């Protein structure tokens, strides 16, 4: 496995694979890797000749300076984990390599980028599009793997691609299921920052989502589900809801029709912001 720091090294490696007609899978990450990330890497390993994983904490997608500073950085551990997971190339650039000058591009993506995460983290998705468009242009993979843990992010990237913002990328976007701990908590790099007590509180989030899904079978309405989730989560005094949304799973706009819906939540557990979702 190679660990590369520069864009030109990655382009050269990609050119070598292409010269020999080999397929490339790509998994973008911000590091602090866990089994959720690794499930994407393994999927890429199964489906492609070569797998490239980027490890880059992208400053332009953080709308909160403290969140950026506190984001866990564990490159050596990440490299060790990737070595055992079928990764061929780790691309771990410095900020100056990715942004030699400020990226001023604005991506016009409509409502899909304005609701939920877009509303509560202004500028977040624009930063995601900046980095993902650069990474897809550098790696030009046949398949790019994204986790449904960040469901809205996939919808935003799909919209970015369909609007022609990344002409160099002709591959396929592959959504992958959420990987959870045995007790149900969605794996996240941010879980590392939870105290033992906060870790227990965090469980309430996934439990509320699972129970809500069960209630659909018993005839619950969207309002019933919203209220149930809000009541269940706010019962724990460590948790503070940012949003509970029942959204159309394609447009991500709020809906009361549960037939094509997803429930998405963002919750502060102490000062750690957690997101989770469940498809109905
Ligand atoms: P991040 O490092 O948080 O930017 O995540 C990198 C990729 O891994 C994104 O596509 C995430 O959606 C995905 N990912 C993160 N956590 C999980 C999880 N628990 N299950 C599946 N994919 C995940």
């Amino acid at each position: 496995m190679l660990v590369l720091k520069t864009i030109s090294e990655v382009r050269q490696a990609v050119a070598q694979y292409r010269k020999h007609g080999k397929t490339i899978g790509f998994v973008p990450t911000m590091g602090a890797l866990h089994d959720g990330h690794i499930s994407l890497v393994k999927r890429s390993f199964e489906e492609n000749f070569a797998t490239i994983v980027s490890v880059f904490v992208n400053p332009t997608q953080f709308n909160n300076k403290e969140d950026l500073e506190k984001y866990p950085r564990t490159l050596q551990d990440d490299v060790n984990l990737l070595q055992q997971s079928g990764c061929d190339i780790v691309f771990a650039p410095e900020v100056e390599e990715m942004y030699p000058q400020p990226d001023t591009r604005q991506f016009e993506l409509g409502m899909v980028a304005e609701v939920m995460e877009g509303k509560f983290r202004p500028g977040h998705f624009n930063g995601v599009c900046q980095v993902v468009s650069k990474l897809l242009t550098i790696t030009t993979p046949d398949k790019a793997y994204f986790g449904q843990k960040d469901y809205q992010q996939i919808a935003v990237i799909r919209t970015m691609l369909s609007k022609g913002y990344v002409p160099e990328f002709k591959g396929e976007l592959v959504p992958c299921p959420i990987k959870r701990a045995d007790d149900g908590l969605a794996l996240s790099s941010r879980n590392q920052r939870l105290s033992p007590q906060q870790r227990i509180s965090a469980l309430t989030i996934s439990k509320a989502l699972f129970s809500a899904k069960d209630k659909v079978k018993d005839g619950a309405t969207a309002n019933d589900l919203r209220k149930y989730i809000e009541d269940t989560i706010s019962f724990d005094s460590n948790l503070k809801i940012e949003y509970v949304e029942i959204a159309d799973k394609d447009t991500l706009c709020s809906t009361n029709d549960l037939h094509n819906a997803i429930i998405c939540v963002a919750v502060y557990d102490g000062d750690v912001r957690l997101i989770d979702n469940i498809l109905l």
Side-chain angles (χ1 to χ4, degrees):
M1 188 177 79
L2 295 171
V3 181
L4 305 179
K5 291 278 183 191
T6 67
I7 294 170
S8 71
E9 287 171 303
V10 176
R11 284 193 192 276
Q12 279 172 34
V14 167
Q16 281 302 313
Y17 288 127
R18 292 289 175 224
K19 198 171 135 194
H20 295 97
K22 306 297 190 192
T23 59
I24 297 172
F26 174 55
V27 182
T29 82
M30 296 206 298
L33 300 182
H34 50 66
D35 278 354
H37 299 111
I38 298 303
S39 68
L40 273 55
V41 178
K42 287 189 170 155
R43 173 101 182 253
S44 171
F45 175 73
E46 283 164 16
E47 297 182 354
N48 303 280
F49 180 83
T51 292
I52 304 176
V53 178
S54 62
V55 175
F56 178 63
V57 181
N58 172 40
T60 73
Q61 73 188 71
F62 284 81
N63 55 324
N64 176 327
K65 197 164 164 269
E66 198 182 326
D67 192 25
L68 172 61
E69 280 162 8
K70 284 191 177 165
Y71 201 87
R73 288 161 171 88
T74 59
L75 183 60
Q76 195 49 56
D77 290 346
D78 295 344
V79 167
N80 293 341
L81 207 56
L82 288 171
Q83 192 113 42
Q84 306 155 30
S85 311
C87 172
D88 297 281
I89 294 176
V90 184
F91 177 41
E94 298 296 333
V95 172
E96 297 70 32
E97 179 72 7
M98 291 298 283
Y99 298 104
Q101 53 261 336
D103 190 339
T104 54
R105 289 176 299 161
Q106 291 291 326
F107 294 80
E108 305 295 337
L109 303 174
M111 283 309 282
V112 77
E114 282 161 31
V115 295
M116 299 193 288
E117 293 298 287
K119 178 170 163 195
F120 287 95
R121 302 184 69 188
H124 167 65
F125 283 131
N126 202 64
V128 167
C129 287
Q130 288 176 343
V131 75
V132 171
S133 62
K134 280 177 188 268
L135 290 168
L136 291 176
T137 302
I138 296 163
T139 55
T140 60
D142 297 275
K143 293 184 179 184
Y145 296 82
F146 293 88
Q148 288 181 320
K149 162 82 175 13
D150 300 280
Y151 188 91
Q152 189 179 4
Q153 173 170 278
I154 299 179
V156 166
I157 292 169
R158 185 173 285 129
T159 307
M160 168 179 80
L161 297 176
S162 73
K163 288 190 176 247
Y165 280 110
V166 197
E168 299 83 356
F169 173 62
K170 298 185 170 55
E172 181 191 342
L173 193 156
V174 184
C176 302
I178 301 178
K179 186 95 178 166
R180 297 180 179 278
D182 289 342
D183 58 12
L185 178 68
L187 297 183
S188 164
S189 306
R190 289 192 165 86
N191 294 352
Q192 289 187 16
R193 294 185 42 219
L194 298 173
S195 70
Q197 189 53 51
Q198 288 170 335
R199 173 68 179 70
I200 293 169
S201 293
L203 253 196
T204 305
I205 302 166
S206 52
K207 277 192 176 156
L209 293 180
F210 296 143
S211 306
K213 183 166 179 164
D214 282 343
K215 286 178 191 296
V216 177
K217 292 181 212 122
D218 306 332
T221 65
N223 281 338
D224 297 337
L225 297 186
R226 220 174 278 120
K227 180 159 182 354
Y228 169 75
I229 294 169
E230 283 171 2
D231 289 350
T232 306
I233 294 178
S234 19
F235 189 72
D236 187 319
S237 59
N238 282 328
L239 302 178
K240 196 164 157 285
I241 294 174
E242 195 166 70
Y243 62 79
V244 173
E245 271 293 345
I246 300 179
D248 180 280
K249 73 180 178 56
D250 300 315
T251 65
L252 290 183
C253 290
S254 197
T255 183
N256 285 324
D257 177 5
L258 299 180
H259 289 99
N260 191 48
I262 181 166
I263 310 177
C264 298
V265 301
V267 176
Y268 276 94
D269 187 353
D271 68 345
V272 184
R273 187 175 184 278
L274 301 175
I275 57 170
D276 200 351
N277 67 72
I278 197 162
L279 283 160
L280 296 181

